[in-house]
Amino acid sequence: MDGIPDGTAAGGRHQDAAAGSVRPLTAALLMLGIALLSGALSVLVMLPAAQHLRSFQDGERTSATLHTEGSCMIGQCKVEFRADGETVVADLPVGSGGGKSSVGARMTVRYHADDPRVAVRDEDTGGGGAAVLTVISGGTALLFLVMSVVAPVCARRQGGQVLSRRDVP
């Protein structure tokens, strides 16, 4: 390979980069992206869901039956109960627990008298699983944010200590 310096491939790229190693800047940007997505999930989705669940603490309490099972954490469950003499099928909002219950399971729910189409399990009025997921995704965001700063610093420090081919006798 005449005219190409030792340790580089055609096009001027180092052989290490061509072999599949990730550059520190790329890794830092990837970690920063994950941190931003996780933080957005925490602040824009799970925190409002936890606050919505807490808003039912002063709601009307009644006994209900699980009408439609599914993933209650993402809002796919429905309950059936009587409100003002009528049978109502209400959605359990995002962040609700009770996903392991089967259709027909009895539970106590709370609903707002002016809108009984949404109900919350009595156990979830403290924030439920949404509060836990808010903390977990917020912690993940902080971890990846710190790592997006620490990783390039460590790579920079190691870069000065690594021997190149020219240094080996």
Side-chain angles (χ1 to χ4, degrees):
M1 295 181 30
D2 294 331
I4 298 176
D6 214 20
T8 60
R13 294 184 62 202
H14 284 84
Q15 288 177 350
D16 292 340
S21 65
V22 178
R23 294 182 179 198
L25 179 61
T26 304
L29 290 175
L30 180 64
M31 286 187 271
L32 185 61
I34 292 171
L36 290 173
L37 287 173
S38 185
L41 173 69
S42 180
V43 172
L44 299 176
V45 177
M46 299 316 297
L47 185 61
Q51 291 171 338
H52 179 67
L53 291 171
R54 282 189 213 107
S55 73
F56 285 84
Q57 288 178 338
D58 60 346
E60 302 289 326
R61 178 185 259 171
T62 189
S63 180
T65 305
L66 188 62
H67 181 270
T68 306
E69 66 181 323
S71 180
C72 297
M73 186 58 72
I74 60 173
Q76 293 183 341
C77 291
K78 295 180 184 275
V79 292
E80 181 178 292
F81 59 92
R82 300 209 31 100
D84 295 328
E86 296 181 28
T87 300
V88 177
V89 176
D91 294 323
L92 290 176
V94 171
S96 297
K100 294 184 180 181
S101 302
S102 57
V103 172
R106 303 288 299 163
M107 61 183 69
T108 303
V109 297
R110 290 184 182 259
Y111 67 94
H112 294 298
D114 58 337
D115 186 16
R117 294 174 297 170
V118 177
V120 173
R121 288 183 341 134
D122 200 34
E123 297 87 16
D124 293 335
T125 57
V132 172
L133 287 178
T134 299
V135 171
I136 291 172
S137 62
T140 302
L142 287 174
L143 174 70
F144 276 97
L145 184 62
V146 168
M147 291 303 297
S148 71
V149 173
V150 171
V153 171
C154 290
R156 179 67 107 175
R157 285 184 181 172
Q158 280 184 337
Q161 297 173 357
V162 175
L163 296 176
S164 67
R165 286 186 178 183
R166 293 182 192 133
D167 295 336
V168 177

